[in-house]
Every structure is written in C-alpha cells, then in structure tokens.
Amino acid sequence: MPFILSMKDTYRQAVEAATGGKNTVMYDDKGNPSIMVCVNKQNYADIITGGASTPFPAFIVNGQVKNEFWMSKFQNIVHDGRAYSIPGVDARTSITYDQSKAACEAKGAGWHLATNPEWAVIAEWAKKNGSMPRGNNNYGKDIAAPYETGRKAGTSDRVLTGSGPASWSHDGTNDGIFDLNGNIWEWVQGYKIVDGIAHVMVDNNFGDAESLWINTGVNVTTGMTSGHKILTLKEGVIPNSPGMLWEGLAIPATADATGASAYGNDGYYFNALGERFPNRGGHWTTGAIAGVFALNLFYERSFSSSYRGFRSAFISSI
C-alpha cells in the first residue's frame, strides 16, 4: 500500500479492507473525507494494441513517473468551498470550470480537478478490460439496459452518487469509479480548444498555468460535425509537444452519424468558435451517445447548468 497523506482510522481501514486496498479514504486540510479509487500506472502497450512501452501522460507529473493516481470514486459535492467524493448524495451541479477547479485545489497539495489524461487512461483501461461502464443516460436508467437504475435525487432525474449497479463503474465491480457514463457531464482540465485548435497540458502537470499549455496547431474539429459519434481517436505524436502522444488523451479523429461500437458509439460535440473547455461522460438525457469516451467541447469556461459537475483527483508529491 503506498504512502498516502491521510490519517489511519476505522473508516479508512474498513473501506480498504472491503476493497482489498483498491479504495481508500483521504482527508483534506479540513479533516473531511473523500472516498478515492487507486488507478495504477499503465503503459500504452498495456492497454492499446501496438502501443508504446512508455507511461500514459496521466502518470507523469513534472517529469516524475508516478506509480498511481487517485480518482474520486463518485461525482463530487461541494462543502465549505471544497470538493468531496461521497456515496449516496446529489452531486454538485450548476458550477463553472473555474469554480470546479478551485473547489478541488482548496483541499490541499496534490488535489486537483480531474485531468483529461486521467480520464483518458481510465476510458482506455475500461475498453481493454471489456468493462465499458453503463450509467444514468436515460432519466435514471441506462438506455441499453433499462433494468439498471439508480436512486433518484429528489425530483431530479439525476441519481445519487454510486447508487447504480456495479456495471455503472469503470471495472464492473463495486470497487470501481462510478458514473463515468451519464448522470452529469464532468469538467476536466488540461485540454481546451481555441477556434478549434487543440491546446494541451504537458503530461499531467496539473499545477501548470494555462499559459504553459501547448498550442498543437491542430484543428480537432476539421471535417467533423458536432453531435456525431466517435469513429476513431487521434494517434501519433502531438505537434509542438515533448514527444507526447494523442493516444494518451482520447481525442476523436473521425466521427459520423453511426459511430464505432469500440468507443461505445459515444458522441462528440464542439463549438469551433472561441475558447471551449471539455466535459466528459454525458448526462441523464443524452442516451446512447453518453459514455466514458463522450466528449463535449461546446461551452465556455463560464458556463454552468444542472447537467454539469466534476470530480477531484489526487497525486502524491512523493
């Protein structure tokens, strides 16, 4: 078990014992808990056929290769200005990109808004593992398996965090990360488009200012129609980057009205005018286009709605 900046207590010990150490309880600077899931280091070759024998960017921070990062098990709530991963609650919505980022960073060192590289490696792992998560993408149900339901959050068609079946987690077990398909779109950081041109964070340097992100010069909307479904993802070296690969970011290369089952027939939305920030996963009304590969680049950083939230992640500096 790696060292974690949190205190030992009976709650944490119970969670770790129940999940074989795959989940833990982390405490922030206010002493409040979040349930987190360990995502172990993956090389491209581990989960992408023909991939390189080098780590996904999610596991490289400021040039240091990490053995793991920790992802919120649940979509987050906000309490006292801080983000928390708690089961059985109505996730925070109507929050902007910058407000989401601030609520994560307020928790202390190592805490951050989940990044696009972190989301991408989880998506690719689920694809390789044959456990592409279902979820609340049809008013409390999964559109492909309507017998799978979550517990409604009051009068909303959102469901309470983690209240769906195990098939709604990234590994198909109750130890996994829940609600990556539907319920609410999630802001992620480390990626944006400006007039369609992709700008990316170096590796997983979540502490970098946006001014340090790479202007790839690549228009990731050219030849595609917003609202279509993903056919293929971009591959190869990212221009102007220090050898980074598109495979680490799960960015669509082509899309059409049908999509590819390999990517869950997930949807790709964008607005090629101005600066747009990514949402992942879909929400409770997006139906079949929701999924762990779904990407929405339609909105500005100041946008908020009852369809959008976020989750935090943690990486130790050690």
Side-chain angles (χ1 to χ4, degrees):
M1 186 69 192
F3 176 74
I4 300 169
L5 295 174
S6 60
M7 64 186 87
K8 277 285 187 183
D9 66 0
T10 54
Y11 184 29
R12 180 183 172 199
Q13 289 172 332
V15 168
E16 292 181 355
T19 63
K22 295 175 181 175
N23 295 182
T24 193
V25 180
M26 292 187 177
Y27 296 86
D28 66 5
D29 65 334
K30 294 288 187 180
N32 294 324
S34 284
I35 299 182
M36 308 295 289
V37 178
C38 185
V39 180
N40 292 319
K41 181 171 73 70
Q42 302 287 333
N43 290 338
Y44 293 102
D46 295 331
I47 52 179
I48 295 178
T49 301
S53 297
T54 53
F56 271 81
F59 301 97
I60 305 173
V61 180
N62 299 324
Q64 183 180 3
V65 176
K66 302 290 184 178
N67 288 326
E68 75 274 322
F69 66 83
W70 295 83
M71 182 66 94
S72 285
K73 186 176 182 72
F74 308 108
Q75 292 170 335
N76 282 187
I77 62 168
V78 176
H79 173 72
D80 195 21
R82 287 163 172 76
Y84 296 104
S85 167
I86 303 294
V89 296
D90 189 12
R92 172 64 187 268
T93 58
S94 299
I95 187 167
T96 70
Y97 170 83
D98 289 310
Q99 290 168 340
S100 302
K101 194 167 179 288
C104 298
E105 293 171 356
K107 293 168 66 65
W111 290 98
H112 57 278
L113 176 66
T115 67
N116 188 63
E118 290 165 347
W119 185 286
V121 72
I122 292 168
E124 291 286 2
W125 186 93
K127 176 174 175 284
K128 181 69 174 181
N129 192 51
S131 58
M132 295 270 279
R134 293 192 287 268
N136 173 22
N137 50 45
N138 190 28
Y139 301 90
K141 305 176 182 178
D142 182 274
I143 196 165
Y147 49 87
E148 294 185 355
T149 63
R151 188 150 52 96
K152 291 283 189 73
T155 58
S156 168
D157 285 308
R158 293 190 298 269
V159 298
L160 302 181
T161 54
S163 65
S167 58
W168 290 15
S169 80
H170 86 292
D171 64 357
T173 78
N174 285 320
D175 300 338
I177 302 162
F178 274 80
D179 302 322
L180 296 170
N181 177 335
N183 205 33
I184 51 175
W185 288 103
E186 298 184 34
W187 294 111
V188 293
Q189 66 165 320
Y191 181 63
K192 66 179 180 180
I193 59 174
V194 181
D195 296 330
I197 303 297
H199 293 240
V200 302
M201 176 175 68
V202 174
D203 296 328
N204 200 18
N205 295 354
F206 56 86
D208 282 357
E210 279 178 43
S211 59
L212 297 177
W213 293 6
I214 299 160
N215 179 346
T216 69
V218 176
N219 191 320
V220 293
T221 67
T222 299
M224 289 190 277
T225 300
S226 179
H228 272 185
K229 300 173 182 177
I230 300 168
L231 271 179
T232 59
L233 297 181
K234 295 188 74 64
E235 298 178 344
V237 176
I238 299 174
N240 304 322
S241 78
M244 293 171 59
L245 301 176
W246 287 111
E247 286 90 331
L249 302 182
I251 303 300
T254 59
D256 69 6
T258 303
S261 59
Y263 299 108
N265 304 114
D266 293 352
Y268 182 37
Y269 294 87
F270 55 82
N271 183 334
L273 295 176
E275 184 182 62
R276 309 288 165 172
F277 284 76
N279 297 162
R280 287 288 194 175
H283 67 80
W284 73 87
T285 73
T286 44
I289 64 92
V292 71
F293 283 97
L295 174 60
N296 188 331
L297 285 161
F298 200 87
Y299 294 103
E300 299 170 328
R301 66 194 312 144
S302 58
F303 182 77
S304 68
S305 80
S306 61
Y307 296 91
R308 279 163 181 77
F310 70 101
R311 74 178 72 211
S312 57
F314 176 83
I315 298 181
S316 172
S317 61
I318 298 174

